[in-house]
Amino acid sequence: MVQKFSFQKLELDGAYLIKPFFASDIRGGFLKDYSKDLFKANGIDYELSEVFYTISHKGVIRALHFQEINQQPKLVRCVSGKVFDVIVDLRPESSTFKKWLGFYLTGDNMDELLIPAHFAHGYLVLEDSIVSYKCAAPFDGANDSGIMYNDPDINVTWPFEEIGGEGNLIIAEKDKNLQSFQEYVKRGCK
């Protein structure tokens, strides 16, 4: 079996759902999830700065994170397990400002999301998971920020039923104290 790269533009400008290259035979499989030249040939000018992984238990929610300055575009893929991944357009001049899209990323489907600058990103872990982040800019902890996962203005429809209900969430202290979308707007949508 051979699956070639495919790039699906999403309704949020600059965001893509990508099927990576995958080939399998009696030995197992070979996966290539990034190629600078192939991305560029498909209109995506994206270069890696750093790569990291999160290891999360079922029920973890990683809220809608972004960097206030030094934006960090990223290519995200679930290496193993299953997550419901959400992106939110935070560009005030965009026709899709405040809109969100959600995707099931799994180790089996191998889908990945290209998330542009000025987007918030988060996910709900539906099975113990490892998620890969291939970032076009380094992490800047001093400017790390986010919006609450349950913000009523963004109104993400999280599949909490897949973890036995919202009461089973595992949420970090820093994510419990994130700003609302309205607070973000009042601060000037940096």
Side-chain angles (χ1 to χ4, degrees), residues 57-61 124-127 159-170:
H57 301 294
K58 178 179 179 177
V60 165
I61 193 158
L124 175 63
V125 180
L126 304 174
E127 298 173 0
F160 292 127
E161 68 281 358
E162 293 189 42
I163 62 163
E166 193 171 355
N168 290 324
L169 279 181
I170 301 168

PDB file of all heavy atoms in Angstrom, residues 57-61 124-127 159-170:
ATOM      1  N   HIS A  57      -2.614  11.580  29.107  1.00  0.00           N
ATOM      2  CA  HIS A  57      -3.570  10.553  29.523  1.00  0.00           C
ATOM      3  C   HIS A  57      -4.957  10.877  28.962  1.00  0.00           C
ATOM      4  O   HIS A  57      -5.295  12.048  28.729  1.00  0.00           O
ATOM      5  CB  HIS A  57      -3.661  10.484  31.045  1.00  0.00           C
ATOM      6  CG  HIS A  57      -2.361  10.169  31.690  1.00  0.00           C
ATOM      7  ND1 HIS A  57      -1.722   8.956  31.534  1.00  0.00           N
ATOM      8  CD2 HIS A  57      -1.556  10.914  32.497  1.00  0.00           C
ATOM      9  CE1 HIS A  57      -0.598   8.959  32.208  1.00  0.00           C
ATOM     10  NE2 HIS A  57      -0.461  10.143  32.796  1.00  0.00           N
ATOM     11  N   LYS A  58      -5.773   9.851  28.799  1.00  0.00           N
ATOM     12  CA  LYS A  58      -7.167  10.033  28.409  1.00  0.00           C
ATOM     13  C   LYS A  58      -7.823  11.013  29.375  1.00  0.00           C
ATOM     14  O   LYS A  58      -7.651  10.916  30.593  1.00  0.00           O
ATOM     15  CB  LYS A  58      -7.905   8.687  28.451  1.00  0.00           C
ATOM     16  CG  LYS A  58      -9.382   8.793  28.101  1.00  0.00           C
ATOM     17  CD  LYS A  58     -10.049   7.435  28.143  1.00  0.00           C
ATOM     18  CE  LYS A  58     -11.528   7.564  27.815  1.00  0.00           C
ATOM     19  NZ  LYS A  58     -12.175   6.235  27.784  1.00  0.00           N
ATOM     20  N   GLY A  59      -8.539  11.979  28.829  1.00  0.00           N
ATOM     21  CA  GLY A  59      -9.244  12.965  29.642  1.00  0.00           C
ATOM     22  C   GLY A  59      -8.521  14.294  29.761  1.00  0.00           C
ATOM     23  O   GLY A  59      -9.123  15.289  30.175  1.00  0.00           O
ATOM     24  N   VAL A  60      -7.246  14.342  29.382  1.00  0.00           N
ATOM     25  CA  VAL A  60      -6.511  15.608  29.422  1.00  0.00           C
ATOM     26  C   VAL A  60      -7.096  16.552  28.374  1.00  0.00           C
ATOM     27  O   VAL A  60      -7.415  16.150  27.258  1.00  0.00           O
ATOM     28  CB  VAL A  60      -5.002  15.385  29.151  1.00  0.00           C
ATOM     29  CG1 VAL A  60      -4.293  16.700  28.832  1.00  0.00           C
ATOM     30  CG2 VAL A  60      -4.351  14.707  30.340  1.00  0.00           C
ATOM     31  N   ILE A  61      -7.249  17.812  28.768  1.00  0.00           N
ATOM     32  CA  ILE A  61      -7.594  18.841  27.786  1.00  0.00           C
ATOM     33  C   ILE A  61      -6.468  19.868  27.802  1.00  0.00           C
ATOM     34  O   ILE A  61      -6.040  20.315  28.860  1.00  0.00           O
ATOM     35  CB  ILE A  61      -8.976  19.486  28.042  1.00  0.00           C
ATOM     36  CG1 ILE A  61      -9.397  20.302  26.828  1.00  0.00           C
ATOM     37  CG2 ILE A  61      -9.009  20.289  29.328  1.00  0.00           C
ATOM     38  CD1 ILE A  61     -10.882  20.543  26.711  1.00  0.00           C
ATOM     39  N   LEU A 124      -8.573  17.631  23.105  1.00  0.00           N
ATOM     40  CA  LEU A 124      -9.075  16.749  24.149  1.00  0.00           C
ATOM     41  C   LEU A 124      -8.536  15.356  23.845  1.00  0.00           C
ATOM     42  O   LEU A 124      -8.701  14.852  22.725  1.00  0.00           O
ATOM     43  CB  LEU A 124     -10.606  16.738  24.145  1.00  0.00           C
ATOM     44  CG  LEU A 124     -11.291  15.763  25.099  1.00  0.00           C
ATOM     45  CD1 LEU A 124     -10.964  16.092  26.553  1.00  0.00           C
ATOM     46  CD2 LEU A 124     -12.800  15.775  24.867  1.00  0.00           C
ATOM     47  N   VAL A 125      -7.907  14.739  24.837  1.00  0.00           N
ATOM     48  CA  VAL A 125      -7.300  13.423  24.657  1.00  0.00           C
ATOM     49  C   VAL A 125      -8.361  12.350  24.908  1.00  0.00           C
ATOM     50  O   VAL A 125      -8.900  12.246  26.016  1.00  0.00           O
ATOM     51  CB  VAL A 125      -6.094  13.256  25.597  1.00  0.00           C
ATOM     52  CG1 VAL A 125      -5.455  11.881  25.409  1.00  0.00           C
ATOM     53  CG2 VAL A 125      -5.071  14.358  25.349  1.00  0.00           C
ATOM     54  N   LEU A 126      -8.659  11.562  23.875  1.00  0.00           N
ATOM     55  CA  LEU A 126      -9.717  10.559  23.946  1.00  0.00           C
ATOM     56  C   LEU A 126      -9.178   9.164  24.274  1.00  0.00           C
ATOM     57  O   LEU A 126      -9.942   8.286  24.677  1.00  0.00           O
ATOM     58  CB  LEU A 126     -10.490  10.538  22.632  1.00  0.00           C
ATOM     59  CG  LEU A 126     -11.086  11.899  22.233  1.00  0.00           C
ATOM     60  CD1 LEU A 126     -11.711  11.834  20.857  1.00  0.00           C
ATOM     61  CD2 LEU A 126     -12.075  12.388  23.274  1.00  0.00           C
ATOM     62  N   GLU A 127      -7.886   8.962  24.066  1.00  0.00           N
ATOM     63  CA  GLU A 127      -7.155   7.752  24.464  1.00  0.00           C
ATOM     64  C   GLU A 127      -5.769   8.230  24.868  1.00  0.00           C
ATOM     65  O   GLU A 127      -5.308   9.251  24.358  1.00  0.00           O
ATOM     66  CB  GLU A 127      -6.977   6.781  23.284  1.00  0.00           C
ATOM     67  CG  GLU A 127      -8.240   6.236  22.684  1.00  0.00           C
ATOM     68  CD  GLU A 127      -7.967   5.406  21.416  1.00  0.00           C
ATOM     69  OE1 GLU A 127      -6.785   5.255  21.005  1.00  0.00           O
ATOM     70  OE2 GLU A 127      -8.947   4.935  20.833  1.00  0.00           O
ATOM     71  N   PRO A 159     -16.170  16.626  22.358  1.00  0.00           N
ATOM     72  CA  PRO A 159     -16.844  15.324  22.521  1.00  0.00           C
ATOM     73  C   PRO A 159     -16.590  14.718  23.910  1.00  0.00           C
ATOM     74  O   PRO A 159     -15.988  13.652  24.057  1.00  0.00           O
ATOM     75  CB  PRO A 159     -16.220  14.485  21.398  1.00  0.00           C
ATOM     76  CG  PRO A 159     -14.832  15.024  21.257  1.00  0.00           C
ATOM     77  CD  PRO A 159     -14.960  16.507  21.528  1.00  0.00           C
ATOM     78  N   PHE A 160     -17.067  15.422  24.947  1.00  0.00           N
ATOM     79  CA  PHE A 160     -16.823  14.974  26.318  1.00  0.00           C
ATOM     80  C   PHE A 160     -17.410  13.592  26.595  1.00  0.00           C
ATOM     81  O   PHE A 160     -16.917  12.868  27.458  1.00  0.00           O
ATOM     82  CB  PHE A 160     -17.383  15.982  27.324  1.00  0.00           C
ATOM     83  CG  PHE A 160     -16.659  17.299  27.331  1.00  0.00           C
ATOM     84  CD1 PHE A 160     -17.354  18.481  27.183  1.00  0.00           C
ATOM     85  CD2 PHE A 160     -15.282  17.355  27.500  1.00  0.00           C
ATOM     86  CE1 PHE A 160     -16.691  19.701  27.201  1.00  0.00           C
ATOM     87  CE2 PHE A 160     -14.608  18.567  27.523  1.00  0.00           C
ATOM     88  CZ  PHE A 160     -15.320  19.744  27.363  1.00  0.00           C
ATOM     89  N   GLU A 161     -18.459  13.226  25.861  1.00  0.00           N
ATOM     90  CA  GLU A 161     -19.070  11.917  26.074  1.00  0.00           C
ATOM     91  C   GLU A 161     -18.061  10.786  25.815  1.00  0.00           C
ATOM     92  O   GLU A 161     -18.183   9.691  26.375  1.00  0.00           O
ATOM     93  CB  GLU A 161     -20.318  11.744  25.197  1.00  0.00           C
ATOM     94  CG  GLU A 161     -20.067  11.657  23.696  1.00  0.00           C
ATOM     95  CD  GLU A 161     -19.820  12.994  22.986  1.00  0.00           C
ATOM     96  OE1 GLU A 161     -19.866  14.070  23.633  1.00  0.00           O
ATOM     97  OE2 GLU A 161     -19.578  12.961  21.765  1.00  0.00           O
ATOM     98  N   GLU A 162     -17.028  11.059  25.022  1.00  0.00           N
ATOM     99  CA  GLU A 162     -16.036  10.021  24.707  1.00  0.00           C
ATOM    100  C   GLU A 162     -15.044   9.783  25.847  1.00  0.00           C
ATOM    101  O   GLU A 162     -14.249   8.843  25.786  1.00  0.00           O
ATOM    102  CB  GLU A 162     -15.303  10.362  23.408  1.00  0.00           C
ATOM    103  CG  GLU A 162     -16.232  10.307  22.199  1.00  0.00           C
ATOM    104  CD  GLU A 162     -15.512  10.423  20.878  1.00  0.00           C
ATOM    105  OE1 GLU A 162     -14.440   9.800  20.719  1.00  0.00           O
ATOM    106  OE2 GLU A 162     -16.029  11.140  19.995  1.00  0.00           O
ATOM    107  N   ILE A 163     -15.096  10.645  26.880  1.00  0.00           N
ATOM    108  CA  ILE A 163     -14.265  10.411  28.071  1.00  0.00           C
ATOM    109  C   ILE A 163     -15.150  10.182  29.306  1.00  0.00           C
ATOM    110  O   ILE A 163     -14.673  10.234  30.432  1.00  0.00           O
ATOM    111  CB  ILE A 163     -13.262  11.565  28.329  1.00  0.00           C
ATOM    112  CG1 ILE A 163     -13.979  12.898  28.584  1.00  0.00           C
ATOM    113  CG2 ILE A 163     -12.265  11.673  27.186  1.00  0.00           C
ATOM    114  CD1 ILE A 163     -13.123  13.966  29.235  1.00  0.00           C
ATOM    115  N   GLY A 164     -16.438   9.960  29.077  1.00  0.00           N
ATOM    116  CA  GLY A 164     -17.356   9.715  30.186  1.00  0.00           C
ATOM    117  C   GLY A 164     -17.922  10.970  30.805  1.00  0.00           C
ATOM    118  O   GLY A 164     -18.444  10.937  31.909  1.00  0.00           O
ATOM    119  N   GLY A 165     -17.808  12.114  30.105  1.00  0.00           N
ATOM    120  CA  GLY A 165     -18.378  13.365  30.585  1.00  0.00           C
ATOM    121  C   GLY A 165     -17.323  14.381  31.002  1.00  0.00           C
ATOM    122  O   GLY A 165     -16.166  14.032  31.264  1.00  0.00           O
ATOM    123  N   GLU A 166     -17.745  15.637  31.047  1.00  0.00           N
ATOM    124  CA  GLU A 166     -16.833  16.741  31.367  1.00  0.00           C
ATOM    125  C   GLU A 166     -16.228  16.614  32.758  1.00  0.00           C
ATOM    126  O   GLU A 166     -15.131  17.109  33.024  1.00  0.00           O
ATOM    127  CB  GLU A 166     -17.567  18.083  31.213  1.00  0.00           C
ATOM    128  CG  GLU A 166     -16.678  19.274  31.206  1.00  0.00           C
ATOM    129  CD  GLU A 166     -17.377  20.583  30.836  1.00  0.00           C
ATOM    130  OE1 GLU A 166     -18.579  20.558  30.491  1.00  0.00           O
ATOM    131  OE2 GLU A 166     -16.708  21.630  30.894  1.00  0.00           O
ATOM    132  N   GLY A 167     -16.912  15.917  33.648  1.00  0.00           N
ATOM    133  CA  GLY A 167     -16.400  15.707  35.004  1.00  0.00           C
ATOM    134  C   GLY A 167     -15.119  14.878  35.046  1.00  0.00           C
ATOM    135  O   GLY A 167     -14.433  14.852  36.062  1.00  0.00           O
ATOM    136  N   ASN A 168     -14.788  14.212  33.934  1.00  0.00           N
ATOM    137  CA  ASN A 168     -13.572  13.387  33.880  1.00  0.00           C
ATOM    138  C   ASN A 168     -12.381  14.114  33.271  1.00  0.00           C
ATOM    139  O   ASN A 168     -11.351  13.491  33.016  1.00  0.00           O
ATOM    140  CB  ASN A 168     -13.842  12.098  33.096  1.00  0.00           C
ATOM    141  CG  ASN A 168     -14.750  11.158  33.858  1.00  0.00           C
ATOM    142  OD1 ASN A 168     -14.677  11.072  35.075  1.00  0.00           O
ATOM    143  ND2 ASN A 168     -15.611  10.465  33.146  1.00  0.00           N
ATOM    144  N   LEU A 169     -12.513  15.425  33.047  1.00  0.00           N
ATOM    145  CA  LEU A 169     -11.404  16.191  32.486  1.00  0.00           C
ATOM    146  C   LEU A 169     -10.208  16.226  33.423  1.00  0.00           C
ATOM    147  O   LEU A 169     -10.365  16.330  34.644  1.00  0.00           O
ATOM    148  CB  LEU A 169     -11.823  17.650  32.230  1.00  0.00           C
ATOM    149  CG  LEU A 169     -12.602  17.961  30.979  1.00  0.00           C
ATOM    150  CD1 LEU A 169     -12.895  19.458  30.913  1.00  0.00           C
ATOM    151  CD2 LEU A 169     -11.874  17.511  29.739  1.00  0.00           C
ATOM    152  N   ILE A 170      -9.035  16.203  32.832  1.00  0.00           N
ATOM    153  CA  ILE A 170      -7.787  16.455  33.548  1.00  0.00           C
ATOM    154  C   ILE A 170      -7.260  17.758  32.955  1.00  0.00           C
ATOM    155  O   ILE A 170      -6.963  17.829  31.763  1.00  0.00           O
ATOM    156  CB  ILE A 170      -6.771  15.314  33.332  1.00  0.00           C
ATOM    157  CG1 ILE A 170      -7.357  13.977  33.814  1.00  0.00           C
ATOM    158  CG2 ILE A 170      -5.456  15.636  34.035  1.00  0.00           C
ATOM    159  CD1 ILE A 170      -6.551  12.763  33.371  1.00  0.00           C
TER     160      ILE A 170
END
